[in-house]
């Protein structure tokens, strides 16, 4: 079986078991952008608390966040953890957004996906996973997001090396799958859900996993 067929069959098996994921939970593209920074090294429940705090103070706009002193922003996003670091990273991203597009998502349409990804990666504190999350979930660009869950599942299926580089793991999917935003969105969401329910770091539940038929 070729790689495209295998990956699509694995996708179908996960989706048949779990149904649609409907990611990313947010009211706007900007909220997704903020959440992509806040979710670094924490769980989504903590991110939601931080976003709600920004909303309660009517601070969930790029202009308001950039105008806040960094310590005040850190206090608002405290539930997300690493709040001092994330406040700085978030303001770095929004400063880039202002300088590059004057806070306009439409203005970013002039960039190719590759060029926009390269631009995002110049922002201090925006790594590959965060950049791809912004591209896919906020900007609706076909940029596949991979993470520790992706690495764990596909390594356990003997498809990739455990120490594979991020870009090589991303290319493992992007080189063969249709460049489809909805497919990439749902694929990443399903991988995360399967990893949390079955492909646990310790004591994986392989026998009942929807991907069990694909184990060698």
């Amino acid at each position: 079986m070729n790689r495209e067929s295998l990956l699509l069959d694995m996708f179908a098996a996960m989706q048949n078991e779990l149904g649609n994921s409907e990611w990313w939970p947010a009211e706007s593209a900007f909220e997704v952008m903020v959440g992509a920074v806040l979710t670094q090294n924490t769980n989504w429940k903590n991110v939601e608390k931080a976003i709600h705090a920004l909303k309660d103070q009517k601070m969930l706009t790029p202009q308001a966040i950039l105008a806040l002193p960094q310590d005040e922003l850190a206090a608002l996003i405290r539930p997300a953890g690493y709040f001092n670091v994330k406040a700085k990273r978030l303001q770095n991203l929004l400063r880039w957004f202002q300088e590059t597009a004057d806070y306009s998502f439409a203005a970013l349409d002039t960039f190719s996906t590759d060029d926009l990804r390269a631009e995002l990666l110049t922002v201090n504190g925006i790594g590959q996973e965060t950049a791809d999350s912004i591209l896919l979930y906020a900007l609706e660009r076909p940029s596949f997001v991979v993470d520790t869950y992706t690495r764990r599942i596909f390594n356990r299926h003997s498809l990739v090396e455990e120490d594979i580089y991020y870009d090589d793991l991303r290319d493992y999917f992007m080189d063969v799958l249709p460049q489809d935003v909805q497919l990439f969105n749902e694929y990443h969401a399903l991988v995360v859900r399967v990893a949390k329910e079955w492909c646990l770091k310790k004591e994986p539940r392989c026998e009942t996993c929807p991907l069990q038929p694909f184990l060698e």
Side-chain angles (χ1 to χ4, degrees):
M1 182 182 296
N2 66 37
R3 194 196 314 172
E4 179 185 5
S5 297
L6 174 62
L7 291 178
L8 290 175
D9 285 351
M10 293 176 81
F11 172 80
M14 292 187 289
Q15 192 172 49
N16 288 341
E17 176 69 27
L18 293 170
N20 291 330
S21 306
E22 298 182 359
W23 276 21
W24 186 301
E27 295 178 357
S28 67
F30 179 68
E31 186 176 325
V32 174
M33 180 183 282
V34 171
V37 175
L38 297 184
T39 199
Q40 294 173 351
N41 301 305
T42 194
N43 63 57
W44 187 251
K45 288 183 178 179
N46 292 333
V47 174
E48 287 182 324
K49 292 176 184 175
I51 288 177
H52 286 154
L54 289 169
K55 287 181 176 178
D56 288 344
Q57 297 300 314
K58 302 190 185 323
M59 289 292 173
L60 194 59
T61 69
Q63 296 89 339
I65 290 175
L66 264 183
L68 271 178
Q70 200 170 104
D71 60 338
E72 292 184 25
L73 175 59
L76 282 173
I77 64 171
R78 189 182 186 92
Y82 302 97
F83 43 90
N84 289 316
V85 172
K86 290 181 181 179
K88 183 176 181 179
R89 290 177 176 178
L90 185 54
Q91 289 187 326
N92 287 342
L93 175 61
L94 298 186
R95 202 167 291 113
W96 168 86
F97 191 30
Q98 178 189 34
E99 294 169 356
T100 305
D102 195 25
Y103 304 127
S104 168
F105 284 99
L108 296 176
D109 290 343
T110 60
F111 290 84
S112 70
T113 299
D114 287 344
D115 287 346
L116 194 50
R117 186 173 191 263
E119 280 281 328
L120 285 166
L121 290 174
T122 67
V123 179
N124 189 277
I126 303 302
Q128 293 164 304
E129 184 180 341
T130 302
D132 288 327
S133 294
I134 292 169
L135 287 168
L136 179 62
Y137 293 110
L139 305 180
E140 298 186 347
R141 300 293 189 101
S143 190
F144 201 94
V145 180
V146 297
D147 52 24
T148 55
Y149 298 125
T150 320
R151 188 185 308 271
R152 182 192 305 165
I153 288 175
F154 288 84
N155 172 251
R156 284 178 173 171
H157 283 264
S158 302
L159 297 173
V160 301
E161 297 295 326
E162 187 175 8
D163 59 351
I164 188 172
Y165 290 118
Y166 182 99
D167 278 337
D168 291 338
L169 181 55
R170 178 175 177 265
D171 288 346
Y172 183 82
F173 297 88
M174 291 197 66
D175 284 351
V176 297
L177 291 178
Q179 300 296 294
D180 184 302
V181 169
Q182 292 306 314
L183 173 63
F184 286 6
N185 180 319
E186 188 63 29
Y187 211 126
H188 176 234
L190 289 169
V191 164
V192 173
R193 293 170 70 192
V194 166
K196 288 184 174 181
E197 179 68 26
W198 290 283
C199 200
L200 307 176
K201 188 174 183 179
K202 297 180 180 179
E203 300 181 5
R205 302 165 180 166
C206 299
E207 295 78 9
T208 58
C209 178
L211 295 179
Q212 192 279 332
F214 300 91
L215 285 171
E216 291 184 353

